[in-house]
Amino acid sequence: RGDGGAMLDSIAEGFPHSQRLLDQYHGLVKISERIKEAFPFMSRKKRQELGDNLGNLLRAGETESLLKGIVSLKENKNVEKQEPINKLYEYYKKHDKHLWYPKCKDLGMSVGTGIAEKDVDLLLDRRYELRGMSWSPKGVRNNLRIRLCMFNQRLDALAHAC
């Protein structure tokens, strides 16, 4: 889970059986930000309506309809800047396989990372940012694999963790 940042690609390499999910909150924020950039002179209420329409498609996991909705923004007579719309389209085109929210909800999974982000901060970030510490990406990945094996009580998998 996450906001789709490039850093996640390198982390995902260390967990080949994981399935990525774009954090729904970050996705909704991205829509709101890009609409505000593209339509700076439109009323807040109208921008909210545009964002809500795209947000509903995002929540439903309707990727094709979401992309079509973004393309239709380019034809809106009130659009001031095309670049934010292009960026929004490219963002969701890149992450179209990471929008499986309905399936997550069916499985009882969270579609947001707020709780996980706080846990990462408490358990990992503070550890790796201690004074005098420096970690290579490989060292962090190996350490995370070990911690994951221990957390899941899969000590038998430790031999393959690094």
Side-chain angles (χ1 to χ4, degrees), residues 79-143:
V79 69
E80 292 287 325
K81 300 176 185 174
Q82 293 286 331
E83 186 60 25
I85 297 171
N86 293 337
K87 286 181 178 181
L88 189 63
Y89 180 85
E90 291 303 320
Y91 180 78
Y92 283 109
K93 185 71 175 162
K94 177 182 176 184
H95 297 292
D96 65 342
K97 302 290 187 251
H98 308 147
L99 306 176
W100 46 286
Y101 307 120
K103 184 176 178 182
C104 282
K105 288 184 179 183
D106 289 346
L107 294 170
M109 295 171 57
S110 169
V111 294
T113 60
I115 294 170
E117 286 181 20
K118 185 61 177 176
D119 287 346
V120 167
D121 177 48
L122 292 172
L123 299 172
L124 300 175
D125 285 349
R126 293 182 188 180
R127 165 78 170 103
Y128 295 120
E129 293 175 1
L130 290 174
R131 187 180 179 112
M133 295 255 180
S134 65
W135 292 81
S136 69
K138 182 180 178 184
V140 170
R141 278 194 304 271
N142 288 339
N143 192 307

Side-chain angles (χ1 to χ4, degrees), residues 6-18 20 141 145:
M7 179 191 73
L8 294 176
D9 292 331
S10 65
I11 292 172
E13 291 172 9
F15 301 93
H17 301 293
S18 65
R20 287 185 58 183
R141 278 194 304 271
R145 287 183 188 133

Side-chain angles (χ1 to χ4, degrees), residues 43 48 50 53 59 74 82 104 106 120 124:
S43 74
Q48 182 71 42
L50 290 175
N53 291 337
R59 286 184 197 93
K74 291 181 179 189
Q82 293 286 331
C104 282
D106 289 346
V120 167
L124 300 175

